[in-house]
Amino acid sequence: MTDPILQELATPLGLPGSGRRRYGAAMALHRRGEISAAVLEAYRIASALDTQDPAQILAAEGLAVPALPTPDAASAIRSLVDEADIYLATLPGPGVAEVRAGIAQARGRAVNIPQGGTNPTVAAHLATALEELRPTHPAMAQAIAAAAPHLDWITYDAYPRDQIGPAFADGHAFASLIGAGSPIPAEDFDFGLFLIAPHVLYRDHNHAAPELYAPLTGPHGWRFGPGEPLVVKPAHQPVWNDPFRPHCTKVGPVPFLCLFGWTRDVNETARVLPAPDWPELEALRLG
């Protein structure tokens, strides 16, 4: 049985009052003689901000982080969905309400635990993306890190390789959280995480599904039709693509990590839209 005090110590970052909860648990552990006064002091300092990770203070002091309970896979996935919904509620623009409605409809359904496993893009780039996200959205970063090992990360192979380009074909992965065959089942809806390696061009394409991108890292370049100019957008600025709207993404120096939502027609295949300037865009370096 998990120690309830350790569970309190593992309270996710960013929750209201979470800094005080972690400090209270640390005081209880100190009274039991399980952590030192120096470790307790780190939790006291961190308690001033609910978003402050005590592990950063401990690392700066050369102190070990107390061993915390690891959430089970189902709890980690549910927590990520909850945190993602909280995040989406802060975003403006079209499509956000539709995606959140799909999440709400799926709540309460049993979680099917995927096999998980390793993916080379995830292994190479997810940690870097989370380091970029953590200073501003620590609870989201923590939720993704906890759930990621339990997810089925897929490198999509339905695009013809000669059309989509080898850099994207080998340099991306996505993991659905809600949808058909996903941890939380849903019909004609898909919601999850999408990761692309730095500097990769996701060439011009379109699809029947209306789509929300909620980028957690940035900046990255976007355009909405072959031949259109590239527009650089920061992290946390959502992009909504109506059905069949052409779109293209040029990843910057930071791995592209985002939440995505397809609200209907999710089984319709995407198609690549040829453009003559792909070599220039693939050689381009943002930032």
Side-chain angles (χ1 to χ4, degrees), residues 40-41 130:
L40 175 61
E41 176 64 6
L130 294 180

Side-chain angles (χ1 to χ4, degrees), residues 38-39 41-47 52-63:
V39 172
E41 176 64 6
Y43 279 89
R44 185 195 68 78
I45 295 170
S47 69
Q52 174 66 61
D53 189 347
Q56 294 176 332
I57 299 173
L58 291 167
E61 297 295 326
L63 299 169

Side-chain angles (χ1 to χ4, degrees), residues 37-38 55 68 136 189 199:
L68 300 177
T136 57
F189 180 81
H199 305 302

Side-chain angles (χ1 to χ4, degrees), residues 165-213:
F168 178 81
D170 297 330
H172 79 281
F174 74 92
S176 293
L177 300 170
I178 302 173
S182 301
I184 301 175
E187 293 294 326
D188 205 23
F189 180 81
D190 197 3
F191 176 73
L193 294 167
F194 187 27
L195 178 68
I196 311 177
H199 305 302
V200 167
L201 178 69
Y202 186 6
R203 293 177 175 180
D204 303 84
H205 62 286
N206 70 0
H207 40 71
E211 174 186 56
L212 177 70
Y213 280 113

Side-chain angles (χ1 to χ4, degrees), residues 34-267:
E34 296 182 23
I35 64 172
S36 68
V39 172
L40 175 61
E41 176 64 6
Y43 279 89
R44 185 195 68 78
I45 295 170
S47 69
L49 293 173
D50 293 333
T51 57
Q52 174 66 61
D53 189 347
Q56 294 176 332
I57 299 173
L58 291 167
E61 297 295 326
L63 299 169
V65 179
L68 300 177
T70 302
D72 65 86
S75 296
I77 291 169
R78 286 194 185 280
S79 293
L80 175 53
V81 170
D82 290 343
E83 191 60 43
D85 190 39
I86 291 169
Y87 172 80
L88 290 175
T90 69
L91 300 181
V96 174
E98 290 90 333
V99 172
R100 294 192 67 214
I103 294 172
Q105 289 179 357
R107 273 210 170 88
R109 296 173 185 166
V111 176
N112 303 310
I113 307 304
Q115 289 185 338
T118 59
N119 178 284
T121 300
V122 175
H125 300 294
L126 181 60
T128 302
L130 294 180
E131 283 304 306
E132 291 290 325
L133 176 64
R134 189 168 283 111
T136 57
H137 295 77
M140 174 66 81
Q142 182 171 319
I144 294 172
H150 306 296
L151 300 177
D152 184 15
W153 291 92
I154 296 170
T155 295
Y156 185 72
D157 61 1
Y159 289 122
R161 188 180 180 89
D162 62 332
Q163 294 181 24
I164 202 60
F168 178 81
D170 297 330
H172 79 281
F174 74 92
S176 293
L177 300 170
I178 302 173
S182 301
I184 301 175
E187 293 294 326
D188 205 23
F189 180 81
D190 197 3
F191 176 73
L193 294 167
F194 187 27
L195 178 68
I196 311 177
H199 305 302
V200 167
L201 178 69
Y202 186 6
R203 293 177 175 180
D204 303 84
H205 62 286
N206 70 0
H207 40 71
E211 174 186 56
L212 177 70
Y213 280 113
L216 302 172
T217 58
H220 306 298
W222 301 80
R223 74 175 181 188
F224 302 99
E228 293 293 321
L230 202 67
V231 177
V232 177
K233 294 177 177 286
H236 314 301
Q237 186 175 112
V239 173
W240 172 252
N241 293 314
D242 286 315
F244 297 108
R245 183 194 194 192
H247 50 287
C248 166
T249 308
K250 172 65 183 185
V251 180
V254 177
F256 176 80
L257 176 64
C258 79
L259 299 169
F260 74 87
W262 283 23
T263 57
R264 67 173 188 271
D265 297 323
V266 302
N267 295 319

